Amino acid sequence: MHQSSWKSRRHRRRGHRHNAWFRPHGSNERGAAEPGSSDGHGEAPSTSSTAGSSSVPDLPGYYFDPEKKRYFRLLPGHNNCNPLTKESIRQKEMERKRLRLLEEEEQQGKARLGFNASSLLQKSKLGFLNATSYCRLAQELRVSCMQRKKVQIQSSDPSALASDQFNLIMADTNSDRLFTVNDVKVGGSKYGIISLHGLKTPTFRVHMHENLYFTNRKVNAMCWASLNHLDSHVLLCLMGIAETPGCATLLPTSLFVSNHAGDRPGMLCSFRIPGAWSCAWSLNIQANNCFSTGLSRRVLVTSVVTGHRQSFGTSSDVLTQQFAVTAPLLFNGCRSGEIFAIDLRCQNQGKGWKATCLFHDSAVTSVQILQEEQCLMASDMAGTIKLWDLRTTKCIRQYEGHVNEYAHLPLHVHEEEGIMVAVGQDCYTRIWSLHDGQLLRTIPSPYPTSKADIPSVAFSSRLGGARGAPGLLMAVRQDLYCFSYS
């Protein structure tokens, strides 16, 4: 009798030690559970915190929910009904964060209505703020006071607006037109031009001019082209499909709407280009009426008038390009992380055509030359954004917070406002101070985070033309939003 009771007590102690491995510190007996156990009520784990905590052990294949104080098993694959995976936990956590930021923006917008720059100016006059601090705080105030307004788009085909989704938007030089690439529901893409003259408070109403010209091929890159006059055409790089080769197409804006009196029909032409990743139009006098295309291990510079081509061999795919205006240089960013400039005065068979070489640790997705052409901004697929001094070939500033892993995402530099804008792969639009790299604002997307719904943005100091106010345009799904300073 005594021996059997002793064995029973020892068995209970061993079971108690065994269960202690799955019990978080500070939890009681009723709050703990073994991995994969159920309480009989079909309880699902909450997703208010990611797996892993400093107070509980991290068990491979299990997720610990700190609210319910228990472990849940992570199911492999996607063949199960409503599986609990690390990806689903991450998505729900990101959605909670996005909704929280949207709510905070609405509350802050109401709180900022009675606050303006007059208080900052008064403090500056009283000597409480120096010139540098005043400029910084005024810039932060202007950016933070931008409120989201949905833009009403008028079109001759309202049904298309409800079904077609924005893929890319691109403002012209004067910021009074917006070229759009829309994904058609039945497949393929179509193009349109939005007139921004009606982008004024309180209505924010614009008109879209559409054209029947569409394609079933993907648009890899595009830029405005000045052939007949400033921004008279749009240059599109289309990917090849099946037996149809890739091409670069000059699409005249007169196909959509004529903005110039007596404007003759623009020249519509196409150049066979195998697999172009990027394109750029030259405004340099030494490469007049020319455009460049970045290919796999090659750069082509083509004259629209004569059709003459210069070819420059590279060691990697060229993902982004931009021409300098005053100097005869073409800057290129490669998948290998190299950034180099081509001296356009050199022939394709000559030597010494590489004028500048810079290096990133990941694939370069965007390069932007600043106005004085002494600095260059570049971003890559590791989320790194650097400002380079082209005279010393050294990085002079880095901008933190951008999110990118593999996407081809552009940069938007606006020296007149002193800001730089970029949309991350997490669908957040971030605005930095150009002068010191400070992150001024993070704008969440109006829609849940998705690889297919990364917003396309355009920023201008004069949205809608010369009398317009500074602001940001954001296109996502079927909607267009305006974040205006006024």
Side-chain angles (χ1 to χ4, degrees):
M1 182 70 180
H2 175 74
Q3 185 177 4
S4 61
S5 62
W6 175 81
K7 290 182 179 180
S8 176
R9 288 195 300 269
R10 184 177 63 175
H11 178 72
R12 287 196 298 269
R13 285 197 300 269
R14 290 180 61 187
H16 178 76
R17 287 196 302 268
H18 177 73
N19 291 336
W21 283 98
F22 301 100
R23 188 177 301 117
H25 297 291
S27 64
N28 56 24
E29 187 75 20
R30 297 168 63 182
E34 292 186 6
S37 64
S38 175
D39 56 3
H41 298 286
E43 185 180 24
S46 66
T47 56
S48 61
S49 176
T50 55
S53 174
S54 58
S55 60
V56 295
D58 186 13
L59 301 181
Y62 293 91
Y63 161 74
F64 178 76
D65 191 314
E67 288 187 356
K68 294 183 171 55
K69 292 183 173 59
R70 56 180 293 183
Y71 286 91
F72 292 89
R73 186 174 181 178
L74 295 174
L75 301 180
H78 301 279
N79 296 325
N80 300 283
C81 180
N82 193 23
L84 177 64
T85 63
K86 289 184 178 180
E87 182 64 23
S88 65
I89 294 171
R90 179 174 173 271
Q91 286 293 117
K92 291 181 180 179
E93 193 66 28
M94 291 177 63
E95 179 62 11
R96 289 171 64 94
K97 177 184 176 182
R98 188 188 68 86
L99 294 176
R100 185 176 68 251
L101 287 177
L102 285 175
E103 184 178 357
E104 291 175 358
E105 285 214 336
E106 291 181 1
Q107 295 175 354
Q108 291 174 2
K110 296 176 182 178
R112 287 191 297 255
L113 292 178
F115 184 61
N116 51 44
S118 60
S119 60
L120 293 179
L121 183 60
Q122 185 68 21
K123 290 181 180 180
S124 178
K125 290 181 178 180
L126 294 175
F128 295 122
L129 292 174
N130 56 32
T132 304
S133 299
Y134 170 74
C135 292
R136 152 51 65 81
L137 292 174
Q139 185 184 46
E140 289 185 4
L141 178 63
R142 295 182 72 185
V143 172
S144 63
C145 284
M146 295 191 307
Q147 297 186 36
R148 186 179 75 243
K149 300 292 184 181
K150 189 172 182 179
V151 179
Q152 300 179 28
I153 304 175
Q154 297 177 334
S155 173
S156 56
D157 187 6
S159 61
L161 293 177
S163 59
D164 301 341
Q165 297 193 21
F166 285 105
N167 186 5
L168 297 170
I169 62 173
M170 178 179 59
D172 65 357
T173 304
N174 295 326
S175 301
D176 55 3
R177 291 178 301 169
L178 199 68
F179 184 80
T180 68
V181 178
N182 296 72
D183 292 333
V184 183
K185 188 176 182 180
V186 296
S189 300
K190 71 176 184 179
Y191 314 122
I193 287 184
I194 295 179
S195 174
L196 300 179
H197 291 295
L199 200 64
K200 299 176 182 179
T201 56
T203 56
F204 288 99
R205 185 180 294 112
V206 297
H207 185 81
M208 172 176 278
H209 303 274
E210 297 176 313
N211 189 271
L212 295 178
Y213 185 85
F214 69 96
T215 179
N216 60 348
R217 292 188 283 176
K218 178 184 177 183
V219 178
N220 272 0
M222 65 180 185
C223 66
W224 287 95
S226 303
L227 189 57
N228 300 339
H229 48 76
L230 183 64
D231 299 335
S232 62
H233 289 68
V234 175
L235 178 64
L236 300 170
C237 286
L238 304 179
M239 178 180 288
I241 182 172
E243 297 180 355
T244 305
C247 67
T249 299
L250 270 175
L251 194 65
T253 58
S254 57
L255 289 177
F256 302 87
V257 60
S258 179
N259 290 329
H260 296 78
D263 190 13
R264 65 182 185 274
M267 179 174 63
L268 173 63
C269 56
S270 182
F271 300 85
R272 182 175 295 183
I273 303 291
W277 294 102
S278 57
C279 64
W281 182 266
S282 173
L283 294 176
N284 188 281
I285 192 64
Q286 299 187 48
N288 193 28
N289 291 332
C290 289
F291 69 90
S292 67
T293 47
L295 316 179
S296 296
R297 302 178 180 272
R298 190 156 53 112
V299 172
L300 287 181
V301 179
T302 307
S303 172
V304 176
V305 178
T306 65
H308 175 70
R309 288 183 177 178
Q310 286 181 275
S311 178
F312 301 89
T314 66
S315 59
S316 180
D317 301 339
V318 180
L319 303 182
T320 179
Q321 297 179 305
Q322 188 182 8
F323 282 94
V325 177
T326 59
L329 298 175
L330 170 62
F331 286 86
N332 306 267
C334 298
R335 192 182 299 277
S336 63
E338 181 186 13
I339 302 172
F340 65 89
I342 296 176
D343 191 333
L344 300 175
R345 295 167 295 186
C346 298
Q347 297 299 319
N348 50 353
Q349 300 299 329
K351 295 182 179 180
W353 52 267
K354 276 193 177 184
T356 305
C357 284
L358 310 170
F359 293 94
H360 276 232
D361 294 330
S362 183
V364 178
T365 61
S366 183
V367 293
Q368 292 290 320
I369 307 171
L370 273 61
Q371 289 179 1
E372 297 296 329
E373 298 188 1
Q374 296 178 351
C375 295
L376 177 140
M377 188 85 71
S379 64
D380 60 33
M381 289 190 183
T384 303
I385 302 176
K386 292 183 178 182
L387 180 64
W388 293 90
D389 190 326
L390 296 176
R391 297 162 295 181
T392 63
T393 64
K394 291 183 178 180
C395 176
I396 57 178
R397 191 168 298 119
Q398 193 159 329
Y399 301 79
E400 305 293 340
H402 185 51
V403 176
N404 192 11
E405 295 177 354
Y406 55 82
H408 198 168
L409 302 175
L411 288 177
H412 307 273
V413 179
H414 303 275
E415 294 184 70
E416 188 173 346
E417 293 297 321
I419 64 172
M420 187 264 295
V421 182
V423 181
Q425 201 172 335
D426 56 354
C427 297
Y428 285 86
T429 302
R430 294 175 175 86
I431 304 176
W432 291 265
S433 170
L434 191 60
H435 304 295
D436 58 13
Q438 183 70 27
L439 181 61
L440 301 176
R441 184 171 177 181
T442 301
I443 303 175
S445 171
Y447 289 98
T449 301
S450 170
K451 297 176 183 178
D453 293 328
I454 297 178
S456 181
V457 301
F459 186 93
S460 174
S461 301
R462 295 172 298 275
L463 276 180
R467 297 183 179 180
L472 175 78
L473 288 174
M474 175 188 294
V476 55
R477 294 193 182 180
Q478 292 90 4
D479 298 329
L480 182 66
Y481 298 91
C482 180
F483 296 77
S484 178
Y485 279 8
S486 59

